[in-house]
């Protein structure tokens, strides 16, 4: 196949490779997190383990929504070889976010977790969130810049994940769906406000009646 025929297929190849990488990272992340899920009592573990697990989680969660951006980047630059640097830069931003999460993590209870969730929901309604969300949906010149915009857009949701249970495949999936939807869907009140209000409502429930949220509290004696 000559270059003339290969080039139109390169964005589709980049899209498929990005999604395949995400799928592999999902399998690896679930395996790494096995036995670590303890609700709000979950601890991140040793720094090396957390770094490996967090980076794998971020690739699993964030690459599906970023896959169209990778394809657009390949189309704009005219070469499949640019997909790897773009993707690596994007994931590197999220890996750096893990350093911040690890440094700030402290033992906490359901009240603190609920407060973080309420704050995360409120952040979804701010102008700062709307700015980063819009920029995250636009084409970016580099993976680092694209990652910066998307981290700004999804920072509240990631704080919610860390507060609730950073090693929970369930919460990981919930946040992954929300972040993916925000990358792919236009920023509209009808799309953005209901999830934000639901997140605030979840936070209120966690503060008032944490036992109503499955998996949030470990049974006494465990």
């Amino acid at each position: 196949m000559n270059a003339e025929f290969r080039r139109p297929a390169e964005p589709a190849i980049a899209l498929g490779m990005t999604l395949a990488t995400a799928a592999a990272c999902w399998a690896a992340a679930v395996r790494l997190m096995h036995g670590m899920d303890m609700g709000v009592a979950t601890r991140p573990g040793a720094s090396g383990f957390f770094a490996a697990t967090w980076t794998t989680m971020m690739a699993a969660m964030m690459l599906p929504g970023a896959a169209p951006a990778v394809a657009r980047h390949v189309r704009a630059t005219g070469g499949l070889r640019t997909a790897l640097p773009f993707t690596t830069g994007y994931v590197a931003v999220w890996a750096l976010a893990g350093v911040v999460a690890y440094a700030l993590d402290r033992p906490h209870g359901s009240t603190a977790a609920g407060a973080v969730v309420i704050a995360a929901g409120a952040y979804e309604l701010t102008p700062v969130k709307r700015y980063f969300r819009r920029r995250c949906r636009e084409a970016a010149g580099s993976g680092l810049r694209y990652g910066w915009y998307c981290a700004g857009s999804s920072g509240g949701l990631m704080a919610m994940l860390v507060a609730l249970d950073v090693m929970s495949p369930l919460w990981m999936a919930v946040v992954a769906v929300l972040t993916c939807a925000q990358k792919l869907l236009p920023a509209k009140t009808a799309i953005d406000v209901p999830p934000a209000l639901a997140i605030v409502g979840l936070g209120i429930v966690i503060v008032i009646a944490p036992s109503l949220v499955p998996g949030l509290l470990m049974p006494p004696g465990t």
Side-chain angles (χ1 to χ4, degrees):
M1 182 182 295
N2 60 41
E4 184 177 336
F5 287 96
R6 184 170 61 247
R7 186 163 295 172
E10 287 181 343
I13 294 172
L15 182 72
M17 291 174 61
T18 304
L19 293 175
T21 301
C25 288
W26 267 102
V30 170
R31 184 177 181 85
L32 285 168
M33 293 187 296
H34 180 70
M36 298 287 292
D37 182 359
M38 298 180 64
V40 293
T42 298
R43 305 303 302 133
S47 58
F49 170 81
F50 179 80
T53 304
W54 175 273
T55 304
T56 305
M57 287 170 56
M58 293 303 100
M61 296 170 64
M62 301 303 173
L63 285 180
V70 176
R72 289 195 303 270
H73 183 74
V74 168
R75 186 181 296 110
T77 56
L80 185 60
R81 66 184 181 278
T82 64
L84 182 59
F86 184 88
T87 305
T88 301
Y90 175 70
V91 175
V93 173
W94 284 109
L96 182 60
V99 175
V100 177
Y102 190 85
L104 295 179
D105 180 77
R106 297 291 185 276
H108 60 274
S110 58
T111 301
V116 172
V117 173
I118 292 171
Y123 177 72
E124 294 294 298
L125 302 173
T126 64
V128 175
K129 162 69 181 196
R130 289 194 294 272
Y131 168 79
F132 280 115
R133 172 149 155 49
R134 185 178 69 253
R135 296 306 299 267
C136 182
R137 296 192 68 249
E138 298 171 352
S142 71
L144 287 172
R145 180 177 296 178
Y146 178 66
W148 165 251
Y149 290 139
C150 293
S153 175
S154 303
L157 296 174
M158 295 312 302
M160 180 178 78
L161 173 64
V162 173
L164 290 177
D165 185 352
V166 72
M167 296 295 174
S168 166
L170 172 61
W171 290 118
M172 178 181 165
V174 170
V175 173
V177 169
L178 290 172
T179 57
C180 184
Q182 290 184 352
K183 287 185 179 71
L184 301 179
L185 298 176
K188 295 182 178 181
T189 301
I191 294 174
D192 293 341
V193 172
L197 295 179
I199 291 170
V200 171
L202 173 63
I204 293 172
V205 171
I206 291 171
V207 171
I208 296 174
S211 60
L212 295 179
V213 182
L216 189 68
L217 302 176
M218 296 299 293
T222 33

